[in-house]
Amino acid sequence: MATIYGYIRVSTKEQNERRQLDVLQALSIPKENLFMDKQSGKDFKRPQYKRLLQRLKKDDLLYIKSIDRLGRNYGEILEQWRILTREKGVDIVVLDMPLLDTRRGKDLMGTFLSDIVLQVLSFAAENERTNIRQRQAEGIAAAKARGMKFGRPPKPLPENYHSAYQRWKAGAITGTAAAKECRMPLSTFRYRAKNYEKSKQL
């Protein structure tokens, strides 16, 4: 007898899965048959999706709210769709896109139309992910151009740094000895020295 399942995905732990959950629960899917990952859709290395894949068997029915909840990588969505529908013999219903309902049109034309729609939507999902990354990169570049700093602020210099730095610059001690006095690796000492010079604290 066929079993009904639902799959939910949100990209981060902070995102709310309630909307997807409400839609799938309205279909009377048993709670134990709902699988949810709070993880990026860039690939299918997700623990709950893997568990779902192991549970699914021929003629089972899988509901997802939209194709981007399944994933966002064009090639991998197509591969997983092939595994689910052709290797496992599972039916899939994408609720936001009625054309992606493998229970209908199982003839050649129906399968052809479904595959075309899937490819278009998969491409759109991956394209949106690429656009998001580009917008983030542009935002960071613009913020840096305005002088905004990213990352953790550097630790304060030790009290004896100025003295060690001056003696090192004068050739009185080696960089290794100066770094040891300041209790930091030589690479860190030299890196901080460059920033120290730029800040004109001498």
Side-chain angles (χ1 to χ4, degrees):
M1 185 176 174
T3 306
I4 301 175
Y5 293 92
Y7 180 68
I8 297 165
R9 184 187 67 79
V10 290
S11 297
T12 65
K13 291 181 179 179
E14 290 74 32
Q15 287 186 347
N16 195 334
E17 70 280 2
R18 190 74 251 170
R19 191 164 59 96
Q20 295 178 67
L21 193 58
D22 288 346
V23 170
L24 295 180
Q25 284 179 334
L27 297 169
S28 300
I29 300 172
K31 186 178 179 181
E32 64 271 18
N33 290 353
L34 289 172
F35 291 79
M36 179 175 65
D37 282 305
K38 293 194 174 188
Q39 197 170 328
S40 165
K42 66 180 180 179
D43 57 44
F44 284 85
K45 296 173 183 175
R46 307 176 217 140
Q48 292 303 308
Y49 181 79
K50 288 180 178 179
R51 282 189 60 221
L52 170 64
L53 205 58
Q54 290 175 343
R55 288 270 297 274
L56 288 166
K57 60 186 185 300
K58 184 175 171 55
D59 296 326
D60 282 347
L61 176 60
L62 173 63
Y63 283 100
I64 55 174
K65 186 164 190 316
S66 57
I67 195 67
D68 64 341
R69 296 306 88 200
L70 184 62
R72 287 189 177 275
N73 182 296
Y74 175 61
E76 291 199 19
I77 291 174
L78 295 176
E79 175 62 11
Q80 290 301 313
W81 190 274
R82 184 190 64 78
I83 290 170
L84 290 166
T85 60
R86 296 178 186 172
E87 289 187 13
K88 284 189 162 287
V90 172
D91 274 316
I92 307 176
V93 176
V94 180
L95 296 166
D96 283 359
M97 181 55 62
L99 280 173
L100 289 178
D101 182 344
T102 61
R103 297 171 302 177
R104 303 175 184 172
K106 287 186 179 288
D107 58 4
L108 184 60
M109 182 56 72
T111 302
F112 176 68
L113 288 173
S114 178
D115 283 352
I116 288 176
V117 173
L118 174 65
Q119 290 195 39
V120 170
L121 291 176
S122 300
F123 173 78
E126 183 173 15
N127 193 52
E128 174 60 16
R129 188 165 66 93
T130 302
N131 288 340
I132 288 170
R133 284 203 307 266
Q134 183 176 341
R135 287 195 294 269
Q136 288 173 336
E138 289 170 354
I140 290 169
K144 284 182 176 178
R146 294 194 303 271
M148 188 177 291
K149 302 291 184 183
F150 290 86
R152 290 181 298 180
K155 291 180 179 179
L157 291 171
E159 290 182 5
N160 65 334
Y161 188 86
H162 181 78
S163 170
Y165 171 84
Q166 292 285 28
R167 285 182 288 127
W168 168 64
K169 289 295 282 186
I173 58 174
T174 65
T176 302
K180 189 174 182 180
E181 279 187 29
C182 296
R183 296 184 179 180
M184 58 177 62
L186 178 59
S187 58
T188 303
F189 178 84
R190 286 179 171 164
Y191 173 76
R192 297 299 295 270
K194 288 181 182 178
N195 292 337
Y196 187 60
E197 290 163 4
K198 287 178 184 176
S199 67
K200 298 178 181 180
Q201 291 180 2
L202 296 177

